[in-house]
């Protein structure tokens, strides 16, 4: 079976020198994501920022722990992209 292309979810670009922390993951490893769904929350000196999924897919792995510092553009997680399809298809594990 052909694998969907992976997408790396990154911390947003901010003002140089601004420090941020990954406050919370809203989606666990292996869970489906819908385009536009918040998947994590960052905290910096200007407040909290929700990170939004750019496409449908499945969050394969977190690369940053909650509470860890992050820098702009840093890879936070890996998303396996899926074409747009009904949510019920996204919640069904592949291969079965």
């Amino acid at each position: 079976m052909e694998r969907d292309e992976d997408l790396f979810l990154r911390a947003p670009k901010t003002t140089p020198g601004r420090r941020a922390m990954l406050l919370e993951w809203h989606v666990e490893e292996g869970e489906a994501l819908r385009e536009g769904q918040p998947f994590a929350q960052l905290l910096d000196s200007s407040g909290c920022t929700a990170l939004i999924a750019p496409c449908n897919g499945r969050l394969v792995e977190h690369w940053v722990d909650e509470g860890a510092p992050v820098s702009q553009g840093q890879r936070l997680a890996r998303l396996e992209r899926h074409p747009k399809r009904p949510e019920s298809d996204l919640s069904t594990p592949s291969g079965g």
Side-chain angles (χ1 to χ4, degrees), residues 33-45:
L33 272 170
R34 293 181 312 278
E35 182 176 349
Q37 176 183 349
F39 65 86
Q41 191 165 18
L42 289 183
L43 176 65
D44 66 17
S45 60

Side-chain angles (χ1 to χ4, degrees), residues 7-8 11-12 18-19 23 26 33 41 44 64 70 79 85 93-94 96:
L7 174 71
F8 301 107
R18 181 177 283 171
R19 299 180 66 147
L23 189 60
H26 297 307
L33 272 170
Q41 191 165 18
D44 66 17
V64 176
V70 297
L79 178 71
R85 56 187 178 192
S94 61

Side-chain angles (χ1 to χ4, degrees), residues 10-67:
R10 298 177 180 267
K13 292 187 177 183
T14 60
T15 306
R18 181 177 283 171
R19 299 180 66 147
M21 175 182 73
L22 183 79
L23 189 60
E24 179 180 18
W25 286 107
H26 297 307
V27 177
E28 296 300 320
E29 290 180 350
E31 288 184 346
L33 272 170
R34 293 181 312 278
E35 182 176 349
Q37 176 183 349
F39 65 86
Q41 191 165 18
L42 289 183
L43 176 65
D44 66 17
S45 60
S46 65
C48 291
T49 302
L51 302 181
I52 307 299
C55 60
N56 290 340
R58 185 171 312 281
L59 197 145
V60 177
E61 61 185 318
H62 296 149
W63 288 343
V64 176
D65 293 328
E66 290 179 344

